[in-house]
Amino acid sequence: MTWHILGAGSLGGLWAARLARTGLPVRLILRDRARLAGYRRLGGLTLVEPEQTSLYPIPAQTPDDPEPIDRLLLACKAYDAEEAVASVAARLTPGAELILLQNGLGSQDAVAARLPRARCILASSTEGAFRDDNFRVVFAGQGFTWLGDPREPTAPAWLAELHAAGIPHQWTPDILARLWRKLALNCAINPLTVLHTCRNGGLAEHAAEVAGLCDELVELLRACGQDSAAEDLQAEVERVIQATAANYSSMYQDVAHGRRTEIGYLLGHALAEAQRHDLSLPRLDELHRRLSAHLTRLGLPTR
Ligand code: KPL
């Protein structure tokens, strides 16, 4: 069965190249004809790895291509997910499967609500990759991808294809706990790196502020029934800060490049859930307010 991949950014490209070089059928879906023409001029997608750099001539198409889609990896930003899926909705076969590789929470429910007949598999990934040019992806760090479907615990047979392609992954019956845990880590780390203009490691100097946010995030996770995601959160946040001390967080990088952030699907989602549970979280509120003001000053969206 063909893998259609929508969103040829860093993670989409990383999956596409590894699946294609395993001999699996892969199609990239590119936004429009201009982008498709640019891709064809380059002759394919380049993946830069520590040991080798290779060009993969993966066939590509635009969203209006007539080819039916049975399996779609949606690898765009959270704020683009709904619109991206709408652009190919008419091509999805009955019972099509989607793998939603978005950060944070909120976009997955919005996509699933639009496609009640499709199976939506949620993914949470720590793989590191970035684009250093058009259709050129640099594999920056080993990571891991958790996959799961909150509505149907049976793992799909195509996980064997991920295994064959060397994509480190595991199926979990509790993907929401993984997504919530990652969301909490990102809420505790990413906004502060933007506001203090520092690498992740710089947050060691703001330990009390980080600890205060972790306390409120734990409260929130528990209120949302995510007790396992709440366990030892602060210790893990501190571990991640140490382990990724030299890195700039993804939100820091977005802001530094003048790109829209995923604030709405991280802090925004956390605070919307807090409100739904009548929970007052003053430190997270204040963080959201400061970050929003900062983004507004830079002319960037706050949602
Ligand atoms: O996921 C991350 C991000 O930057 O988005 C962390 C874990 C904070 C590492 O930088």
Side-chain angles (χ1 to χ4, degrees):
M1 200 176 278
T2 300
W3 284 85
H4 282 88
I5 298 185
L6 181 47
S10 47
L11 280 189
L14 190 55
W15 277 56
R18 290 177 295 181
L19 290 165
R21 73 182 172 198
T22 311
L24 294 161
V26 179
R27 306 276 181 277
L28 296 178
I29 304 178
L30 305 178
R31 198 170 43 236
D32 53 34
R33 277 171 216 294
R35 223 165 136 62
L36 181 60
Y39 174 77
R40 287 188 174 147
R41 269 196 301 279
L42 291 171
L45 180 75
T46 299
L47 179 62
V48 181
E49 294 171 278
E51 316 281 282
Q52 60 178 38
T53 295
S54 307
L55 176 71
Y56 298 96
I58 301 167
Q61 53 188 226
T62 49
D64 59 0
D65 190 280
E67 187 178 45
I69 299 174
D70 298 307
R71 186 185 302 144
L72 178 71
L73 173 69
L74 188 66
C76 59
K77 292 283 192 185
Y79 48 75
D80 282 332
E82 259 192 279
E83 205 181 313
V85 116
S87 74
V88 296
R91 296 174 54 188
L92 296 172
T93 58
E97 290 176 302
L98 279 80
I99 299 105
L100 307 181
L101 197 49
Q102 277 65 53
N103 276 330
L105 279 162
S107 68
Q108 300 89 341
D109 280 349
V111 167
R114 267 183 180 267
L115 304 171
R117 291 185 325 144
R119 182 180 191 194
C120 288
I121 288 165
L122 315 188
S124 176
S125 183
T126 58
E127 287 200 298
F130 61 90
R131 270 185 323 172
D132 70 350
D133 210 339
N134 273 336
F135 304 110
R136 197 179 134 99
V137 175
V138 181
F139 194 1
Q142 294 295 329
F144 197 80
T145 302
W146 291 95
L147 297 149
D149 177 352
R151 293 191 291 198
E152 158 65 273
T154 320
W158 49 256
L159 291 188
E161 296 186 3
L162 302 190
H163 185 72
I167 298 175
H169 70 280
Q170 193 173 318
W171 183 259
T172 168
D174 198 0
I175 187 67
L176 287 178
R178 296 276 165 194
L179 284 161
W180 267 111
R181 178 76 163 194
K182 179 101 192 310
L183 179 145
L185 279 168
N186 289 145
C187 284
I189 297 175
N190 299 16
L192 287 182
T193 62
V194 173
L195 294 170
H196 293 300
T197 327
C198 65
R199 296 174 196 259
N200 293 352
L203 296 185
E205 284 165 37
H206 302 277
E209 204 176 2
V210 172
L213 293 176
C214 287
D215 285 348
E216 290 194 357
L217 287 161
V218 164
E219 256 191 85
L220 174 65
L221 292 170
R222 295 211 175 112
C224 293
Q226 296 295 335
D227 293 313
S228 67
E231 231 165 83
D232 297 327
L233 179 68
Q234 189 183 329
E236 188 171 354
V237 167
E238 285 164 2
R239 208 165 35 244
V240 170
I241 286 174
Q242 247 185 21
T244 63
N247 298 359
Y248 286 108
S249 78
S250 54
M251 189 179 275
Y252 179 102
Q253 292 181 49
D254 284 340
V255 172
H257 290 101
R259 293 190 300 244
R260 181 174 176 180
T261 69
E262 292 178 305
I263 177 177
Y265 299 85
L266 298 169
L267 267 183
H269 185 80
L271 290 170
E273 283 298 300
Q275 198 172 32
R276 213 163 63 82
H277 290 281
D278 266 334
L279 205 59
S280 154
L281 301 174
R283 294 189 186 103
L284 282 169
D285 264 332
E286 175 62 8
L287 182 67
H288 188 249
R289 198 198 52 71
R290 282 165 62 204
L291 182 61
S292 298
H294 184 75
L295 296 176
T296 302
R297 273 195 300 276
L298 297 173
L300 293 171
T302 57
R303 286 155 55 87

